[in-house]
Amino acid sequence: MKFSRFGLTAFLAVASSASAFVPAGRSAAAAFVGSSKTNVAGSHLRTMSTSTKLSMASVPKLTDPMNQLLDSVDVFIFDCDGVIWRGDSLIDGIPETLSKLRALGKKMYFVTNNSTKSRAGYKKKFDKLGLDVPAEEIFSSSFAAAAYLEQTRFKETGKKVYIIGEIGICEELDLLNIPWSGGPLDVGREPNMGPGGKVLVDNDVGAVVVGFDRTINYYKIQYAQLCINELPGCEFIATNLDAVTHLTDAQEWAGNGSMVGAIKGCTGQDPTVVGKPSPLMIDYLVEKLGIPDRKRICMVGDRLDTDVLFGTDNGLQSLLVLSGVTTEQKFLSPENTITPDYYADTINDFFLGVPAGATVGSMY
């Protein structure tokens, strides 16, 4: 797999303002001049050797949050699914915990690998769940895909994007005026598989973006593989490789890794991955906030292979929560080689022992 490192200048131009849901006033192409090298990894998924070889027994559970973590962190980056909510259900105690962190002066950003919504769509979800989160604190892998295409000057090629995915990717591409097909437009389509039947593709497709798609079908898979296999230079891009996701709070559901795997299986190609653990977000935050020491940033997530790896590979502190896809048994198993700095049941453990309704001044 190839993990994308976007140009920092590019990302700042698109994402730094509070009105991050609309393109910057200047041309998007100009915003991406001077970008850095696109890919930082080779053709294979990066190995876990960079994540540490510590034994699981040496990873402490969060019991003294102020001394273990809060005193040494200025910025928290939170995954969403499994950390803030499960499916459409808010995890108990989260609003109070976020309010207490803000009262302590901590900065927070919410980074999700789920591409089904755009940033504007996720802002609506935060609002619906009663969470007062400013728009500029929200980042999604649908936006990351659009930003990558902008950074690589895809629009200048005159090509189109074929989407396996949902409305989030479409909305982000629309903001940059990048033409696309597929996605919701191909829901329910069936290929002609009778004698002489075939799927005809648009020869102007220059990239296939694969994001989570609850209506994926054989037509979409066939269309994507024809584009990648038969159209010269057509790039295979994945928003993320998550194995499972939270569609409901009752069970785990197959994630975008299954969609990406289907396309990899019929093309033999590895995608460029633009979501976590791509280092884009870290580069952006360090530049924007002027943080000289990345160890003052903590990545908090429920996944070892994306969230925790995102932290350990980019020089951050990291904390695994057990409120999502990773169980304590899986985390502590000998097979796991990805080690965060700490782990906790939920982020509510940041305020262990603090009485409900206590003021920040009385906490410690």
Side-chain angles (χ1 to χ4, degrees):
M1 301 298 170
K2 297 167 284 185
F3 289 89
S4 172
R5 181 181 292 276
F6 305 105
L8 182 57
T9 303
F11 194 84
L12 286 167
V14 177
S16 60
S17 70
S19 57
F21 299 152
V22 296
R26 60 195 177 111
S27 73
F32 284 76
V33 173
S35 60
S36 61
K37 186 178 180 181
T38 299
N39 295 317
V40 297
S43 60
H44 300 287
L45 185 64
R46 70 175 73 194
T47 65
M48 304 307 178
S49 61
T50 58
S51 299
T52 93
K53 296 293 185 181
L54 298 176
S55 79
M56 293 302 107
S58 68
V59 179
K61 192 167 186 178
L62 200 64
T63 56
D64 183 11
M66 181 58 81
N67 290 321
Q68 286 176 298
L69 189 67
L70 296 181
D71 274 347
S72 63
V73 174
D74 300 319
V75 180
F76 284 97
I77 301 176
F78 292 110
D79 179 42
C80 295
D81 294 327
V83 179
I84 306 300
W85 58 64
R86 297 188 196 94
D88 290 324
S89 301
L90 187 66
I91 294 175
D92 290 343
I94 294 301
E96 295 79 11
T97 293
L98 297 182
S99 293
K100 289 175 182 177
L101 286 172
R102 291 192 191 280
L104 288 174
K106 307 301 182 185
K107 296 183 183 296
M108 292 178 283
Y109 293 89
F110 301 85
V111 181
T112 176
N113 263 355
N114 191 326
S115 64
T116 59
K117 294 180 176 65
S118 61
R119 291 163 294 159
Y122 274 108
K123 172 58 178 169
K124 291 178 182 177
K125 180 167 185 174
F126 276 99
D127 291 345
K128 182 179 179 181
L129 292 173
L131 297 173
D132 184 17
V133 173
E136 63 269 24
E137 292 181 356
I138 303 168
F139 299 94
S140 65
S141 64
S142 54
F143 167 68
Y148 170 75
L149 289 167
E150 183 69 2
Q151 185 260 329
T152 56
R153 299 179 180 272
F154 179 83
K155 187 178 177 181
E156 295 180 12
T157 68
K159 298 288 187 177
K160 303 174 183 177
V161 175
Y162 183 75
I163 298 171
I164 291 180
E166 302 188 18
I167 193 64
I169 300 171
C170 308
E171 290 179 347
E172 293 291 355
L173 294 184
D174 284 344
L175 290 176
L176 296 176
N177 295 314
I178 295 176
W180 58 269
S181 61
L185 301 179
D186 284 346
V187 172
R189 292 195 67 172
E190 297 181 1
N192 175 10
M193 292 183 285
K198 60 182 179 179
V199 171
L200 298 176
V201 301
D202 186 338
N203 290 329
D204 286 334
V205 172
V208 173
V209 174
V210 181
F212 186 69
D213 191 336
R214 286 167 286 194
T215 61
I216 191 169
N217 55 41
Y218 190 63
Y219 179 90
K220 294 180 181 181
I221 294 172
Q222 173 66 356
Y223 199 106
Q225 76 87 6
L226 288 171
C227 291
I228 295 169
N229 284 335
E230 298 186 2
L231 299 181
C234 185
E235 186 170 8
F236 176 19
I237 300 165
T239 59
N240 65 288
L241 301 176
D242 293 5
V244 294
T245 189
H246 290 103
L247 298 182
T248 70
D249 58 358
Q251 63 181 187
E252 294 177 357
W253 299 76
N256 193 47
S258 63
M259 288 80 180
V260 175
I263 305 307
K264 180 179 178 180
C266 57
T267 64
Q269 296 195 29
D270 289 317
T272 295
V273 181
V274 296
K276 292 177 291 185
S278 167
L280 163 68
M281 218 62 64
I282 301 305
D283 293 343
Y284 163 65
L285 291 174
V286 168
E287 175 74 14
K288 178 182 179 183
L289 300 175
I291 300 174
D293 184 1
R294 292 187 178 213
K295 283 296 183 182
R296 302 293 299 183
I297 304 174
C298 182
M299 176 67 213
V300 181
D302 67 318
R303 297 176 186 272
L304 292 163
D305 59 350
T306 55
D307 299 323
V308 174
L309 196 63
F310 182 63
T312 58
D313 278 5
N314 289 292
L316 319 179
Q317 294 193 58
S318 60
L319 182 138
L320 174 75
V321 290
L322 305 177
S323 50
V325 301
T326 303
T327 64
E328 190 167 29
Q329 180 180 8
K330 178 181 179 181
F331 168 55
L332 296 176
S333 71
E335 291 76 23
N336 175 37
T337 60
I338 304 175
T339 56
D341 294 291
Y342 302 100
Y343 75 103
D345 292 326
T346 76
I347 65 169
N348 297 325
D349 291 353
F350 286 3
F351 299 99
L352 283 169
V354 177
T359 63
V360 171
S362 65
M363 288 178 186
Y364 300 96

